[in-house]
Amino acid sequence: MPSQNPAPAPAGAKVPFELKSATLPVVALLLKSTDTYAIRKALAERFADEPDFFDNDAVIIDLSAVRDDPGAIDFRGLMGTLRSLKTTPVAVRGGNAVQIEFARAAGLSVAPDAPPQRAAPEPAPPSVEIREVVREVEVVREAPASETVLIDKPLRSGQQVYARGADLIVMTAVNFGAEVIADGHVHVYAPLRGRAIAGARGNPNARILTLCLEAQLVSVAGIYRTAENDLPPEVAGRPAQVRLDGERLLIEPLGKG
């Protein structure tokens, strides 16, 4: 009778795979209702004019706000809407046992619950994370800490730069689908076509400055504007700055304000 044990690999043979830990960008969708029809309708309306807002981002459906709601959630229908928006729903978290069971039946996995909110820690030394998605595998490189982070290579779709505790200066184009984020100011001395977020930790004095404003999204301290609203002709494709005036987001020709 032949042996049931697999034959050992020849000495010196290369293993055809390798396992590595990975950090992946994930979007959390927090449900505030179990009315799946209303959620799907609201999502479709919100992104109707921005079909490329997402770039095949992975999505976790957060049920923590509805875990005590007895209403049934149509996970399959919700997943269909999320896929139509160019996202990939992968998991749920924060739900009760029944919700988790139905989510599993729909093909979703279960992610750990979000950690509880804690008091803000002491400011950490500035650092930057440069995240580059290459063939669906994200590479994270840590740059030396400084008060200003300088990027001198073009950023293409799927790439994200976050200047933690620092200003961010980009010397080349931020292309459509790329994202630049800073806790301080964002300077782009080239066309800004992707998404730019300044004051990521709530600094209302942060600004976005660029020599050519064509952005998908601009945001300062959580207040944002998307490309679904056309830019005024005096700033569209021109040098411009984005800043807050109270709760209003102002977009002005560079040098004003």
Side-chain angles (χ1 to χ4, degrees):
M1 181 176 180
S3 171
Q4 298 299 312
N5 296 323
K14 293 184 177 179
V15 179
F17 65 87
E18 183 176 356
L19 297 177
K20 291 185 175 181
S21 60
T23 302
L24 299 176
V26 178
V27 175
L29 174 65
L30 175 65
L31 301 191
K32 298 183 178 180
S33 167
T34 56
D35 186 345
T36 316
Y37 174 79
I39 296 169
R40 295 174 63 188
K41 183 172 182 292
L43 284 169
E45 291 175 351
R46 168 62 182 81
F47 297 104
D49 297 327
E50 295 181 88
D52 296 314
F53 184 87
F54 297 104
D55 187 20
N56 296 312
D57 299 307
V59 172
I60 290 178
I61 301 172
D62 191 333
L63 306 173
S64 56
V66 296
R67 64 176 298 132
D68 297 324
D69 190 324
I73 300 173
D74 177 11
F75 286 105
R76 295 186 187 278
L78 181 57
M79 291 164 64
T81 297
L82 290 170
R83 291 191 181 106
S84 73
L85 297 174
K86 297 184 180 179
T87 71
T88 304
V90 294
V92 295
R93 72 182 181 193
N96 60 43
V98 174
Q99 292 167 340
I100 295 298
E101 181 180 351
F102 278 99
R104 286 185 186 275
L108 294 166
S109 60
V110 180
D113 290 352
Q117 295 292 328
R118 298 181 180 179
E122 291 296 321
S127 66
V128 60
E129 292 180 0
I130 303 175
R131 302 188 176 195
E132 180 177 358
V133 179
V134 181
R135 297 180 182 176
E136 299 182 351
V137 177
E138 183 182 61
V139 179
V140 179
R141 300 193 302 273
E142 290 288 344
S146 65
E147 293 184 1
T148 302
V149 174
L150 178 66
I151 302 297
D152 58 5
K153 294 182 180 179
L155 296 174
R156 62 182 183 273
S157 178
Q159 291 184 304
Q160 179 193 81
V161 176
Y162 177 24
R164 189 187 305 274
D167 293 343
L168 176 62
I169 297 176
V170 184
M171 302 299 298
T172 54
V174 178
N175 288 306
F176 187 88
E179 188 171 59
V180 288
I181 307 171
D183 290 342
H185 306 297
V186 172
H187 305 253
V188 180
Y189 296 114
L192 170 56
R193 303 188 180 105
R195 298 189 283 268
I197 299 169
R201 293 190 179 183
N203 179 4
N205 298 315
R207 299 191 182 196
I208 299 169
L209 304 102
T210 178
L211 295 182
C212 181
L213 182 60
E214 302 173 346
Q216 289 175 271
L217 176 146
V218 289
S219 172
V220 176
I223 298 178
Y224 67 92
R225 174 179 175 143
T226 64
E228 65 186 16
N229 300 311
D230 291 338
L231 292 168
E234 64 268 21
V235 295
R238 297 175 179 272
Q241 68 169 327
V242 183
R243 65 184 180 92
L244 286 183
D245 180 13
E247 295 296 318
R248 292 192 308 137
L249 193 69
L250 298 183
I251 303 179
E252 305 168 324
L254 195 60
K256 180 180 179 181

